[in-house]
Amino acid sequence: MHDDRTLVEARLKRVLDERIRPAVYPDSVPLEVAVWHAPGEPVPVAEGLAGEPEPIEVGARWGAPWGTSWFRVTGTVPEAWAGKTVEALLDLGFDENMPGFQCEGLVYRPDGTPVKGLNPRNQWVRIGAPVEGGEEVRLHVEAASNPVILDYHPFLPTQLGDKETAGSEPQYTLTRMDLAVFDETVWQLVLDLEVLGELMHELPMDSARRWEIVRALERALDAIDLQDVNGTAAQARVRLETVLSEPAVPSAHRISAVGHAHIDSAWLWPLRETVRKVARTTSNMTALLEDEPEFVFAMSQAQQWAWVKEHRPEVWARVKKAVADGRFVPAGGMWVESDTNMPGSEAMARQFVHGKRFFLDEFGVENDEAWLPDTFGFAAGLPQIIKAAGSKWLLTQKISWSQTNKFPHHTFRWEGIDGTRIFTHFPPVDTYNCSMKGSEIAHAARNFKDKGVARHSLAPTGWGDGGGGTTREMVAKAARLRDLEGSATVVWETPAEFFEKAESEYPDAPVWVGELYLELHRATLTSQAKTKQGNRRSEHLLREAELWAATAAVRAGLPYPYEELDRIWKTVLLHQFHDILPGSSIAWVHREARRTYERIAGELTAIIEAAQRALAGEGVRELVFNSAPHTRDGVPAGGAGTPAAEGRTHLTPRPSGGFVLDNGLLRIEIDARGLVVSAYDIEADRETIAPGAAANLLQLHPDFPNMWDAWDVDEFYRNTVTDLTDADEIAPEGEGEGVRIVRSFGSSRVTQVLSLAPGQRSLLLDTEVDWHETEKFLKLAFPLDVHAERYASETQFGHFHRPTHTNTSWEAAKFEACNHRFVHLEEPGWGVALTNDSTYGHDVTRTVRTEGDRGTTTTVRVSLLRAPRFPDPETDQGVHRFRHALIPGASIGDAVREGWRINLPERRVTGAGEVAPLVTVDRDAVVITAVKLADDGSGDVVVRLHEAHGGRARATLTADFEVAEVAATDLLERPLADDAVERDGNRVALRLRPFELVTLRFGRAQSGT
């Protein structure tokens, strides 16, 4: 037989595009359209419906950036269409290739009932099936003219990312507003041809099945009269029945399709627009569930569910019904799909507490899976947090974006720092926006790395990022792929149904130990410094507020601010979403975030101050409140008292220029350039700074990644560096405990104060940068005379070790990594810690000593600031303040303690006398991360703690109040059946494995709130 394959394929494409698809709507009449443009921000539905619209014609421009226009469309169904299916086709000016990234709409009936959302791949509204003819049609469309930020030439700087700079130029052209006859037979033929054509292209050229499909497609095309597609479509479908009914082979890969719409809680749109995106998507999905009995839809992020409940009660009623039917599934059990690298220990725990509790309270549903398809890598402390929240599975897709190394598994068990293992799945379809294309399904089957031992994978199916969800076309394709020769099989299932099958068939799945590092988007650890500082400050203010409010409630009967703390926690958790905290959203998002963090700081400070005043009582004695989990200068952790006096620091001129700081523990030499050329540990008789090098060295790099400007820093940035060694000024600061250094470079200015407090083994560096650079990367370097093959960086409830070498591509790819409050390097018996109050990104490298090639030293560099221009062209411009501390001679315990110190400054209050801690623990290795009252309002005291040094720990926790009972609980404060607590009165004996996380709930003998 002659090879006419390409001829048939080209014929199929042209006939589909030019004749069959247009025949889905064979007849149409225009609707009358009028529009009212809402002034300012979006208005309530009633106000939008009541607006006075003016006529507008198809072809007219509409929609200022970030505006809202209310379209009223009216018309009459022609009498001649009686007995037919009729739909309204409402094209606001969509680009079908950009679902979720442009204008969208939500359709309402005149009474305000939402019908469905409109987006580029979902432009239809069903009017009747069948119609009688003569029906009056009246619909209202709340249309959002969100500008396109990520265009066909991506990453170009634009002012459209903030309403304050976007201007008023109309963004869209009204394209189609019609009533049309919907020919379902032709529509079904389109899906038949698409599924077979796409499958055909994925099969081997010499496959018999491919040629069967070619011949069947040819016969179907022969059956179509191109001048009467609607009259001959049924005949064409008959010629495809046999080839569509051939069952899949028994060994076919099995795909669990989960209806999905990954909606970024903010990204290229502000938070307020996400509220409407969620409403549009959930309206569509509840409608699709009614039409398609096998379809299942899952939605994560409790915050988004809460938005529907608060802002769209009519949609919420439909959602609740669909959840009760088991087909609209709460997924993930987190407040938002957060970043997991940067949130602190408690914040990461509270993501699950607030997310799971919302789904339990609203629906009685508890999630067993964490659902994070788009998060930029996963910290090594996460597995035990997932388990402590009562979950056991994790799904993500993003690791497939890694640039250098391909992850070796799609299904595996992930082991965290404490040894907890979580059954984990990476969908081999490699997208969380699966549309049931043949190429996607074939890729999932070919790509699946666990063939031979496992057969199941999951495909999140539906338009996402900006929402939209699953379409009726995707459902129709999935129906054809349920059991089709040559293809993987596809069935709609809930996440839990998939995980149960996957874990059952693969009980001995391989283990991956440590962080799941994304070899991409590394710059998200630095971009938008003020957003990151707001998060860090809020986390620690929340710790203080809960600690002192709980102490004051127990000791002084002060009412505990349950509602305020709940609301503030949810706000902080929302801003940990994986495009807000990482700094990859538009300017509007980060401008609002800065204001939100300022408001939160004021509210939490007021809670703290009220509690501390109640605890201090009336008096004239100056008290220091210590919120840290370790005794500080004689003041106990979680208590208040008078700190012990601590010696003096001496400042003297350095003979060759600069100054020397000496407090009897450390001697710091700062040269005439303002660089630290010596940090001498007097007791250990040990120099900290690498020979011939200088610390406190600011380094400036060019920073223009190949793409994803706010997200990425590419390794070639290191090829060019400018050391900022010129000082405008160097002079004593304060009472002789510090040195002030001023530098200028480019259009920017840095002011630093280096100080050495009496009695402390840490050099404090306060850095203020007035930053006005573009596409530059600012680092702060500390070359250390430490030979280290690995170093520790803090993560949730512990720390994680990374190698300092680049033996393999896996290590080399980690050229920028995340830490929380500290990094720590050591040789046996002596180490160095570097702590911070608000930075996350860093790099660690090894350098050959300059003295005769004798061994290596280790350089730690802190990432301070970047200046990408997309999506926010003014990223990080302005004044920033950072605090770091260099601690020579530090053990890992010192690193932990000093990390808390720099993030929790003392608070001084005048009062009557000392305040004893509510709870104490007798070993520094056991760190209390939270002291609070139970969320249920019972007045019980909840204490969360963990082993922080990475070893076994025995300790005694003592409560300074009368205890009726104690229970070990999960993160949601529910007792654990198999965890008996060893209690002696008000004391609890603790035996912890390395990094073990424990939550204890104390019932009080004399309860009060």
Side-chain angles (χ1 to χ4, degrees):
M1 181 181 292
H2 296 296
D3 185 352
D4 62 348
R5 171 182 48 82
T6 57
L7 195 67
V8 176
E9 291 171 359
R11 180 187 180 193
L12 173 65
K13 183 180 186 306
R14 185 176 186 189
V15 172
L16 257 176
D17 289 345
E18 296 184 21
R19 298 300 171 90
I20 303 178
R21 287 193 183 100
V24 171
Y25 293 103
D27 296 303
S28 63
V29 296
L31 289 159
E32 293 185 6
V33 190
V35 64
W36 174 72
H37 303 292
E41 284 294 278
V43 300
V45 174
E47 186 176 342
L49 295 175
E52 291 294 333
E54 297 181 353
I56 184 173
E57 298 293 328
V58 168
R61 300 283 291 170
W62 71 277
W66 306 112
T68 301
S69 299
W70 283 83
F71 291 94
R72 185 189 66 197
V73 295
T74 56
T76 304
V77 176
E79 298 285 354
W81 292 359
K84 297 182 178 180
T85 298
V86 175
E87 295 180 346
L89 300 180
L90 308 177
D91 186 344
L92 301 173
F94 297 126
D95 179 343
E96 290 192 5
N97 294 313
M98 301 185 70
F101 292 94
Q102 50 182 295
C103 61
E104 299 173 51
L106 182 55
V107 181
Y108 296 89
R109 296 188 179 92
D111 64 359
T113 303
V115 180
K116 68 187 296 288
L118 297 176
N119 59 56
R121 298 295 183 97
N122 211 326
Q123 303 176 20
W124 58 274
V125 180
R126 181 63 56 88
I127 301 300
V131 295
E132 295 180 358
E135 292 95 333
E136 294 297 320
V137 176
R138 183 185 181 97
L139 298 171
H140 298 261
V141 181
E142 179 189 17
S145 49
N146 303 329
V148 176
I149 306 295
L150 190 67
D151 214 332
Y152 286 97
H153 187 164
F155 318 121
L156 289 180
T158 174
Q159 296 294 329
L160 290 171
D162 195 332
K163 194 173 183 180
E164 295 183 356
T165 61
S168 57
E169 184 70 21
Q171 299 292 294
Y172 296 99
T173 300
L174 198 63
T175 301
R176 185 176 187 182
M177 292 277 164
D178 289 346
L179 282 179
V181 171
F182 174 69
D183 189 328
E184 185 170 356
T185 301
V186 176
W187 181 80
Q188 294 284 6
L189 175 61
V190 169
L191 274 300
D192 291 342
L193 295 172
E194 285 185 354
V195 166
L196 290 170
E198 291 165 2
L199 174 59
M200 174 183 64
H201 281 289
E202 300 303 322
L203 294 171
M205 206 73 67
D206 56 358
S207 161
R209 176 63 170 167
R210 179 165 182 155
W211 284 96
E212 287 176 0
I213 294 173
V214 168
R215 299 278 77 90
L217 290 172
E218 185 178 42
R219 290 192 296 272
L221 294 174
D222 289 343
I224 296 171
D225 182 343
L226 298 184
Q227 279 67 50
D228 185 17
V229 172
N230 300 90
T232 55
Q235 184 179 350
R237 292 201 70 203
V238 169
R239 296 191 177 187
L240 296 174
E241 287 178 353
T242 300
V243 76
L244 280 169
S245 62
E246 291 293 336
V249 298
S251 61
H253 185 66
R254 298 170 185 176
I255 293 177
S256 297
V258 178
H260 186 49
H262 171 68
I263 303 179
D264 287 306
S265 290
W267 179 27
L268 304 180
W269 45 85
L271 287 167
R272 66 89 155 144
E273 191 56 32
T274 314
V275 175
R276 302 200 294 176
K277 283 177 174 287
V278 174
R280 298 173 197 129
T281 298
T282 51
S283 294
N284 273 355
M285 295 304 94
T286 52
L288 190 60
L289 287 167
E290 293 175 0
D291 295 339
E292 302 289 348
E294 294 187 354
F295 175 55
V296 175
F297 182 77
M299 189 169 89
S300 67
Q301 307 192 75
Q303 171 67 88
Q304 296 187 1
W305 292 71
W307 279 334
V308 177
K309 181 181 180 183
E310 178 182 358
H311 297 283
R312 289 291 193 271
E314 304 89 349
V315 180
W316 180 247
R318 289 159 54 178
V319 167
K320 288 193 72 172
K321 180 183 182 301
V323 173
D325 293 340
R327 298 178 58 218
F328 198 124
V329 182
M334 295 175 68
W335 190 248
V336 295
E337 289 182 12
S338 73
D339 180 80
T340 75
N341 287 312
M342 292 175 281
S345 302
E346 269 306 303
M348 201 72 254
R350 303 298 176 94
Q351 285 286 352
F352 288 91
V353 169
H354 287 281
K356 295 195 78 168
R357 186 169 288 141
F358 181 89
F359 293 142
L360 281 165
D361 290 348
E362 295 294 335
F363 309 114
V365 170
E366 177 152 12
N367 301 100
D368 285 327
E369 77 288 336
W371 183 274
L372 293 165
D374 192 31
T375 295
F376 309 151
F378 299 88
L382 188 57
Q384 80 162 325
I385 298 174
I386 294 173
K387 184 175 181 180
S391 297
K392 57 185 178 181
W393 302 314
L394 169 66
L395 178 134
T396 184
Q397 177 270 323
K398 200 69 172 186
I399 300 299
S400 69
W401 285 40
S402 285
Q403 289 178 315
T404 306
N405 298 286
K406 287 294 184 183
F407 198 81
H409 318 293
H410 280 108
T411 302
F412 60 100
R413 295 191 187 275
W414 177 30
E415 181 178 314
I417 55 173
D418 74 313
T420 297
R421 293 179 177 181
I422 294 294
F423 189 81
T424 302
H425 181 68
F426 294 171
V429 71
D430 279 351
T431 178
Y432 48 77
N433 294 323
C434 177
S435 62
M436 286 292 138
K437 283 184 180 178
S439 57
E440 294 170 336
I441 302 305
H443 176 74
R446 285 195 297 262
N447 187 41
F448 187 55
K449 289 183 167 52
D450 303 287
K451 299 183 190 76
V453 288
R455 190 177 291 174
H456 286 83
S457 73
L458 186 146
T461 302
W463 300 118
D465 290 313
T470 318
T471 65
R472 61 183 179 184
E473 288 78 15
M474 296 176 195
V475 176
K477 284 189 170 186
R480 289 160 173 79
L481 297 170
R482 185 179 184 91
D483 190 15
L484 181 63
E485 185 186 354
S487 171
T489 65
V490 176
V491 61
W492 294 105
E493 291 188 307
T494 66
E497 288 171 333
F498 161 75
F499 273 109
E500 291 285 2
K501 289 180 179 178
E503 190 170 23
S504 175
E505 77 171 358
Y506 205 11
D508 56 348
V511 176
W512 180 270
V513 178
E515 67 183 333
L516 294 171
Y517 181 92
L518 177 64
E519 296 171 359
L520 194 73
H521 294 358
R522 302 167 182 91
T524 57
L525 303 173
T526 305
S527 297
Q528 297 288 358
K530 282 189 168 65
T531 298
K532 291 169 171 58
Q533 289 177 324
N535 174 74
R536 179 75 70 84
R537 186 184 183 199
S538 297
E539 288 180 350
H540 287 84
L541 285 170
L542 277 160
R543 171 193 171 83
E544 290 188 83
E546 290 184 335
L547 169 66
W548 299 120
T551 306
V554 174
R555 292 277 165 67
L558 191 71
Y560 189 79
Y562 290 103
E563 293 182 2
E564 294 93 328
L565 290 171
D566 180 79
R567 172 179 51 81
I568 293 170
W569 262 119
K570 287 173 179 174
T571 302
V572 172
L573 299 178
L574 167 60
H575 286 79
Q576 291 176 342
F577 178 75
H578 65 252
D579 277 307
I580 303 179
L581 180 55
S584 47
S585 288
I586 56 174
W588 188 347
V589 173
H590 293 289
R591 171 171 57 81
E592 283 191 335
R594 290 191 291 271
R595 293 175 183 173
T596 298
Y597 285 130
E598 289 172 4
R599 186 187 74 248
I600 285 171
E603 293 176 332
L604 290 172
T605 299
I607 292 172
I608 293 164
E609 290 176 348
Q612 290 179 342
R613 283 195 301 270
L615 289 165
E618 297 295 329
V620 296
R621 181 177 173 184
E622 186 178 66
L623 301 172
V624 170
F625 279 77
N626 176 17
S627 302
H630 306 93
T631 298
R632 179 185 294 178
D633 303 328
V635 179
T642 304
E646 296 282 359
R648 291 186 58 193
T649 296
H650 301 277
L651 183 144
T652 57
R654 187 170 178 268
S656 56
F659 298 91
V660 177
L661 291 166
D662 190 327
N663 67 357
L665 300 173
L666 298 178
R667 185 171 65 248
I668 308 296
E669 293 190 36
I670 303 166
D671 71 5
R673 302 170 297 172
L675 302 180
V676 176
V677 292
S678 176
Y680 191 73
D681 181 345
I682 296 172
E683 181 181 356
D685 187 22
R686 175 76 183 255
E687 176 58 61
T688 306
I689 307 303
N696 189 41
L697 175 63
L698 289 162
Q699 296 183 303
L700 193 66
H701 296 270
D703 185 17
F704 189 64
N706 289 342
M707 57 195 305
W708 297 108
D709 297 42
W711 295 255
D712 281 358
V713 56
D714 289 329
E715 191 173 12
F716 55 72
Y717 88 92
R718 291 178 168 178
N719 296 348
T720 306
V721 60
T722 301
D723 292 344
L724 304 178
T725 57
D726 294 336
D728 302 343
E729 176 187 344
I730 175 169
E733 177 76 8
E735 301 295 323
E737 295 178 1
V739 176
R740 183 172 184 265
I741 305 140
V742 180
R743 307 183 195 279
S744 299
F745 60 95
S747 301
S748 303
R749 180 181 176 90
V750 176
T751 302
Q752 289 185 299
V753 175
L754 275 57
S755 59
L756 187 59
Q760 294 187 22
R761 302 175 56 84
S762 62
L763 172 65
L764 187 63
L765 302 93
D766 284 286
T767 304
E768 178 181 286
V769 186
D770 189 2
W771 180 248
H772 298 284
E773 305 306 303
T774 299
E775 295 167 350
K776 296 289 192 294
F777 197 2
L778 184 64
K779 291 264 189 175
L780 181 60
F782 297 85
L784 305 173
D785 194 10
V786 177
H787 173 75
E789 293 185 2
R790 67 175 192 170
Y791 73 98
S793 61
E794 188 184 31
T795 189
Q796 293 96 0
F797 299 110
H799 56 265
F800 176 66
H801 286 100
R802 297 186 184 93
T804 60
H805 59 75
T806 55
N807 282 357
T808 72
S809 58
W810 292 87
E811 285 104 22
K814 296 182 180 182
F815 58 82
E816 186 79 4
C818 182
N819 66 278
H820 288 186
R821 287 167 293 218
F822 70 81
V823 295
H824 179 259
L825 305 91
E826 66 178 344
E827 297 173 0
W830 194 87
V832 183
L834 183 64
T835 63
N836 72 83
D837 76 337
S838 59
T839 56
Y840 296 91
H842 69 276
D843 67 80
V844 177
T845 54
R846 309 172 90 224
T847 305
V848 175
R849 291 169 61 93
T850 57
E851 298 176 353
D853 192 21
R854 290 161 50 193
T856 58
T857 62
T858 309
T859 299
V860 179
R861 298 198 308 162
V862 175
S863 303
L864 294 182
L865 291 165
R866 300 183 68 238
R869 300 183 65 214
F870 181 87
D872 176 5
E874 302 297 321
T875 301
D876 281 335
Q877 301 300 296
V879 177
H880 303 269
R881 295 177 178 86
F882 308 95
R883 301 191 93 201
H884 294 85
L886 181 70
I887 304 102
S891 66
I892 193 68
D894 296 326
V896 173
R897 182 180 62 253
E898 294 302 316
W900 282 100
R901 178 190 288 270
I902 201 170
N903 282 274
L904 286 169
E906 299 170 343
R907 292 183 183 271
R908 296 180 180 268
V909 179
T910 300
E914 295 181 353
V915 178
L918 200 59
V919 293
T920 57
V921 65
D922 64 357
R923 183 166 176 177
D924 272 2
V926 178
V927 170
I928 295 174
T929 60
V931 178
K932 59 191 287 292
L933 295 194
D935 291 344
D936 61 8
S938 63
D940 290 355
V941 176
V942 172
V943 179
R944 188 139 40 243
L945 53 89
H946 72 288
E947 195 287 320
H949 293 182
R952 301 277 173 172
R954 289 194 177 193
T956 299
L957 181 76
T958 303
D960 193 23
F961 54 88
E962 291 302 315
V963 175
E965 57 183 357
V966 184
T969 73
D970 65 7
L971 293 180
L972 277 70
E973 301 166 7
R974 302 173 298 191
L976 298 172
D978 57 348
D979 259 331
V981 174
E982 189 177 332
R983 173 190 164 208
D984 179 11
N986 291 356
R987 297 181 179 182
V988 175
L990 301 170
R991 291 175 173 81
L992 304 180
R993 67 178 182 272
F995 303 127
E996 183 177 0
L997 163 64
V998 172
T999 303
L1000 297 173
R1001 179 169 179 152
F1002 292 81
R1004 287 191 276 154
Q1006 294 181 342
S1007 182
T1009 58

